Amino acid sequence: MFNSIGQKIKSLAKVFFWIGVIGSAVSGIVMMTADDEGMIVFGVLTIVFGIMFSWVGNFFIYGFGQLVENSDRMVQLLESGTVSTKRERKAESERAPQPKQAPKAAKAVPQPSEPGKEKEMACPHCAQQLYVTEQDASGFFCPFCGGKVTAEDISIDNER
């Protein structure tokens, strides 16, 4: 009775949808066959909106059934041992020997493209060697640390 309950909830949502579709269609047809001419519009609206509300309203029931199905599947996978939790993976990684990391290579210092047209300066944020051209005089970002080097930083460094 309670086996595969997620699938049963999803089937129930489908049954409720079809009951709503048939109910709104029958109600709309009954309204349209009434002697009053204004009821034809209400009959058509009942059919259209009844089907739409039945469809949208059953999203929640069907979605809940899908959630139940997915949670059952996750429990099965965890119990079978084919999937590990975050805590188990962390414990395994702490027990495993850590590979030695190679030292990071030093960044290459950009060299001036045209000697004499660039001035040498140190980044005010990371102190890396920089070469400033006339185009950079309004300010730029350091390629090493990403810090903003302003025109004021350039002029202070040039006065030294």
Side-chain angles (χ1 to χ4, degrees), residues 12-26:
L12 185 66
K14 292 175 186 176
V15 168
F16 284 163
F17 167 74
W18 286 110
I19 290 173
V21 167
I22 293 169
S24 59
V26 168

Side-chain angles (χ1 to χ4, degrees), residues 24-129:
S24 59
V26 168
S27 298
I29 291 170
V30 167
M31 286 182 182
M32 288 190 288
T33 58
D35 292 334
D36 190 7
E37 288 183 21
M39 294 301 284
I40 293 174
V41 173
F42 287 120
V44 171
L45 291 175
T46 299
I47 292 171
V48 170
F49 286 109
I51 291 171
M52 186 178 69
F53 288 138
S54 179
W55 179 57
V56 172
N58 282 293
F59 283 168
F60 301 104
I61 299 172
Y62 193 89
F64 180 70
Q66 187 68 45
L67 285 172
V68 170
E69 230 177 40
N70 290 347
S71 65
D72 285 345
R73 180 71 180 135
M74 286 190 297
V75 168
Q76 288 173 352
L77 289 172
L78 286 172
E79 287 175 349
S80 69
T82 57
V83 175
S84 59
T85 63
K86 186 176 181 182
R87 182 176 292 150
E88 291 169 343
R89 287 191 303 269
K90 184 177 179 186
E92 287 174 10
S93 68
E94 289 173 354
R95 286 188 298 243
Q98 299 294 324
K100 294 183 180 180
Q101 295 179 351
K104 293 182 180 178
K107 294 181 182 177
V109 176
Q111 297 297 317
S113 55
E114 294 180 37
K117 292 203 173 196
E118 296 180 346
K119 295 183 180 180
E120 193 175 318
M121 71 169 282
C123 173
H125 305 286
C126 66
Q128 289 288 334
Q129 191 69 33

Side-chain angles (χ1 to χ4, degrees), residues 128-147:
Q128 289 288 334
Q129 191 69 33
L130 301 174
Y131 294 94
V132 183
T133 64
E134 291 176 11
Q135 296 170 344
D136 298 328
S138 62
F140 60 95
F141 291 97
C142 174
F144 296 102
C145 68

